[in-house]
């Protein structure tokens, strides 16, 4: 658990980086994304129904893991380090619109909203999917399951757009940061 800035030894001088996201957060993130993509792509196919169900159950397990890790994990994995109230989210969004976004070493307040929504929607979609798979609840439940999956897709789209905008405004590759766990070190510490 190092917060010591790290500068690559080879190549052109680069801004020092600091370790933010641990391996387990990054594995969760990419596994969750892969499971959702796979479940979405297999949703309408009877041939791939078992794969769809397996991916849904895997997502439920990932949600349970992330909820636990959000309480006991390292600093930047903990919900307490990034989940903020509506005022903080509004302030962050205003700073984005002004072209001078607040910089957050971990997840920003808007990203936190996406995380909470995706976890909640995945839990509800997984539970409704389980009920549909076990023939409980009828057609309304199947429609609810599809609605929840569509809502997740919408949140994913907004999340990806937010990552692109924040990466551009901060001049920081947030996709690379979620792969390596490292972000640019702050220029000055508060």
């Amino acid at each position: 658990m190092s917060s010591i800035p790290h500068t690559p030894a080879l190549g052109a001088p680069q801004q020092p980086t600091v370790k933010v996201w641990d391996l387990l957060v990054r594995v969760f993130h990419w596994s969750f994304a892969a499971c959702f993509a796979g479940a979405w792509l297999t949703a309408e196919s009877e041939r791939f129904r078992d794969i769809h169900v397996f991916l849904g159950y895997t997502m439920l397990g990932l949600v349970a893991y992330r909820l636990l890790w959000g309480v006991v994990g390292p600093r930047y994995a903990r919900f307490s380090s990034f989940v903020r109230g509506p005022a903080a989210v509004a302030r962050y969004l205003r700073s984005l619109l002004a072209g001078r976004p607040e910089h957050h070493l971990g997840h920003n307040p808007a990203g936190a909203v996406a995380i909470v929504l995706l976890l909640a929607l995945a839990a509800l979609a997984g539970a409704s999917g389980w009920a549909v798979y076990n023939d409980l609840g009828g057609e309304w439940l199947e429609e609810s399951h599809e609605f929840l999956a569509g809502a997740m897709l919408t949140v994913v789209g907004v999340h990806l757009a937010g990552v692109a905008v924040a990466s551009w405004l901060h001049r920081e590759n947030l996709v690379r940061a979620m792969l390596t766990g490292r972000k640019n070190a702050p220029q000055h510490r508060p």
Side-chain angles (χ1 to χ4, degrees):
M1 162 168 85
S2 170
S3 63
I4 299 170
H6 170 266
T7 303
L10 300 175
Q14 295 181 357
Q15 182 172 348
T17 62
V18 62
K19 187 74 164 193
V20 177
W21 292 304
D22 64 284
L23 179 63
L24 295 179
V25 164
R26 297 182 338 254
V27 168
F28 162 81
H29 178 274
W30 296 111
S31 298
F32 190 81
C35 284
F36 177 71
W40 182 266
L41 292 172
T42 58
E44 298 300 322
S45 171
E46 275 302 314
R47 180 177 177 198
F48 296 116
R49 185 173 190 202
D50 288 342
I51 293 171
H52 179 80
V53 170
F54 173 78
L55 292 170
Y57 288 158
T58 301
M59 285 187 75
L60 282 174
L62 287 168
V63 168
Y65 158 74
R66 187 61 182 98
L67 292 174
L68 176 65
W69 202 239
V71 174
V72 302
R75 177 181 178 187
Y76 294 108
R78 291 185 186 187
F79 297 125
S80 62
S81 78
F82 62 87
V83 174
R84 299 289 176 249
V89 175
R91 185 177 57 249
Y92 179 76
L93 293 175
R94 280 192 306 272
S95 75
L96 277 180
L97 292 173
R100 294 181 311 280
E102 298 173 357
H103 190 269
H104 294 265
L105 194 52
H107 295 293
N108 64 56
V113 170
I115 292 166
V116 170
L117 284 174
L118 288 170
L119 291 173
L121 289 167
L124 291 170
S128 63
W130 173 84
V132 168
Y133 185 70
N134 288 290
D135 294 322
L136 305 173
E139 189 172 321
W140 73 270
L141 198 54
E142 188 171 343
E143 289 176 14
S144 297
H145 181 69
E146 290 175 10
F147 172 82
L148 292 163
M152 278 187 74
L153 185 62
T154 300
V155 175
V156 166
V158 171
H159 170 64
L160 293 175
V163 166
V165 168
S167 291
W168 179 63
L169 289 174
H170 287 295
R171 293 174 175 74
E172 179 173 51
N173 187 333
L174 294 176
V175 174
R176 182 178 60 221
M178 190 49 77
L179 287 168
T180 66
R182 303 190 77 82
K183 289 183 76 178
N184 294 340
Q187 295 298 316
H188 53 55
R189 298 214 182 253

